[in-house]
Amino acid sequence: ANVMIGPINKLNAVMEMYPKGIAGFRRYLDLLNMKPEQEDNPNAIHVEKLKGDIEYKNVVFGYENKDKVLNGVNFSIRAGETVALVGPSGAGKTTICSLLPRFYEIDNGEISIDDYNIHDLTMASLREQIGVVQQDVFLFDASIRENIAYGKLDATDEEIWEAAERAQMTTIIKSLPEGLDTLIGERGVKLSGGQKQRLSIARMFLKNPAILILDEATSALDTETEAAIQSALAELAVGRTTIIIAHRLATIKEADRIFVVTENGIEEEGTHQELLQKKGAYSRLHHAQFDFDYAGA
Ligand code: ADP
Ligand code: MG
């Protein structure tokens, strides 16, 4: 099946998105690979497959005309490792992650993947190797098939079903009036929050990036739906470098390492047990924010 999304559809989609605000619009253009301002360096290298080692060295960044949000962030993540970023709202967790696919350019310091400075990689090789799952899942006004295939535009039906299976959404698709051909989005069937997340996970199985960023992907879902999706997300993370921004203790505890992000940068790092024993920022955050989870567990 040929499921290319044509230029007219792209344009329609962009026009529809524009009233939803600049933040959404930016993300949108990016999804469509239409953001022109970050261009390849003249000598940029195209790397087909990255391993996914990540290093941030003294990364300084501020949004236009504003104070610096990051004042020298340092960390490294080994390929295949799962790291959870925790910290107060506004500390810069999302910002840290947005710099990796070059949604924004850093003011100082260096970010590298597998020892390549990200500026020395082509935008295509960089973005093909980074998958982002967020709270808002962007849906095209198109069929389920086209929406899943956004992860890999030339995917066959077989590949699409396999991705759907791994995202645990085949039952959902089979229950829809026209299966994969069912139209979703503005003018089609409305999907629930959990169903959208599964679709977004299916896209990622097709895209198969070396690096996965889960930015509060399930935080808008009710506890039951969230729990149901965790296993699909866990399977998605296997064999990839995964950065999770989350506030549910159950998710954070599973991470290989936890980074505590505050206005001072990465204030602490370690496993859940190590950080609790330290009785520092993580331990304080833990008591302030996670009591609810214990009560509900
Ligand atoms: P977190 O994800 O930890 O909650 P963010 O990275 O979203 O934090 O935000 C860090 C700081 O940057 C906040 O002060 C926030 O208001 C600001 N900020 C985030 N996104 C933008 C943006 N697009 N333009 C300007 N300021 C922003
Ligand atoms: Mg955030």
Side-chain angles (χ1 to χ4, degrees):
N2 189 349
V3 287
M4 283 298 294
I5 292 157
I8 303 287
N9 279 343
K10 280 189 183 179
L11 195 62
N12 272 343
V14 169
M15 297 321 281
E16 276 178 27
M17 195 63 187
Y18 193 64
K20 294 180 183 162
I22 285 299
F25 186 55
R26 248 180 172 283
R27 192 150 57 222
Y28 203 77
L29 286 181
D30 183 72
L31 263 173
L32 300 171
N33 286 320
M34 282 176 72
K35 227 164 103 185
E37 74 257 42
Q38 269 104 355
E39 303 217 327
D40 288 346
N41 280 352
N43 300 319
I45 314 162
H46 190 87
V47 178
E48 207 56 54
K49 192 74 193 166
L50 294 161
K51 281 192 297 148
D53 286 317
I54 299 172
E55 183 160 22
Y56 279 49
K57 274 189 242 166
N58 294 313
V59 172
V60 176
F61 172 76
Y63 292 96
E64 284 168 54
N65 309 320
K66 297 233 174 86
D67 293 341
K68 297 286 180 248
V69 176
L70 309 177
N71 291 291
V73 165
N74 289 286
F75 62 80
S76 52
I77 303 177
R78 287 180 303 278
E81 203 180 5
T82 294
V83 165
L85 301 188
V86 303
S89 173
K93 303 180 294 297
T94 296
T95 303
I96 287 173
C97 293
S98 315
L99 300 176
L100 195 63
R102 290 179 64 195
F103 290 169
Y104 302 95
E105 295 297 338
I106 60 176
D107 300 321
N108 229 317
E110 191 181 315
I111 300 177
S112 54
I113 301 178
D114 296 3
D115 293 329
Y116 296 103
N117 185 318
I118 55 172
H119 287 90
D120 296 333
L121 293 170
T122 62
M123 290 301 282
S125 55
L126 186 62
R127 295 198 178 171
E128 276 162 17
Q129 294 300 309
I130 301 174
V132 184
V133 180
Q134 288 168 314
Q135 207 171 308
D136 312 320
V137 176
F138 174 72
L139 296 181
F140 295 96
D141 227 340
S143 66
I144 288 261
R145 176 188 283 104
E146 286 166 302
N147 270 281
I148 295 178
Y150 183 72
K152 186 180 178 211
L153 294 181
D154 62 355
T156 62
D157 270 19
E158 198 185 348
E159 288 175 307
I160 290 171
W161 278 114
E162 192 195 327
E165 177 74 42
R166 299 175 85 182
Q168 300 166 17
M169 72 175 303
T170 48
T171 319
I172 300 161
I173 298 171
K174 285 177 179 159
S175 74
L176 292 171
E178 292 171 84
L180 280 182
D181 293 316
T182 308
L183 293 179
I184 56 171
E186 293 291 312
R187 279 173 289 234
V189 171
K190 293 261 180 296
L191 299 185
S192 69
Q195 290 169 342
K196 285 186 201 168
Q197 277 309 337
R198 289 183 197 283
L199 192 149
S200 165
I201 294 166
R203 275 180 189 160
M204 283 306 143
F205 275 118
L206 279 180
K207 177 170 170 152
N208 194 25
I211 297 169
L212 186 64
I213 296 170
L214 308 176
D215 189 350
E216 308 208 9
T218 56
S219 60
L221 306 177
D222 60 78
T223 320
E224 207 173 311
T225 311
E226 184 179 30
I229 284 177
Q230 283 309 334
S231 65
L233 281 176
E235 190 189 333
L236 182 62
V238 171
R240 308 175 206 281
T241 309
T242 306
I243 304 177
I244 305 179
I245 303 177
H247 36 239
R248 295 235 343 134
L249 181 65
T251 312
I252 295 162
K253 275 170 93 171
E254 292 300 316
D256 298 315
R257 277 187 302 155
I258 299 163
F259 294 172
V260 181
V261 182
T262 69
E263 74 248 26
N264 305 321
I266 309 297
E267 192 162 317
E268 288 178 351
E269 65 172 78
T271 64
H272 174 73
Q273 284 309 329
E274 285 165 359
L275 292 180
L276 276 187
Q277 276 160 18
K278 242 180 152 176
K279 299 202 188 307
Y282 181 75
S283 156
R284 282 193 299 276
L285 226 116
H286 185 263
H287 290 302
Q289 288 192 5
F290 302 139
D291 286 349
F292 176 79
D293 286 309
Y294 275 138

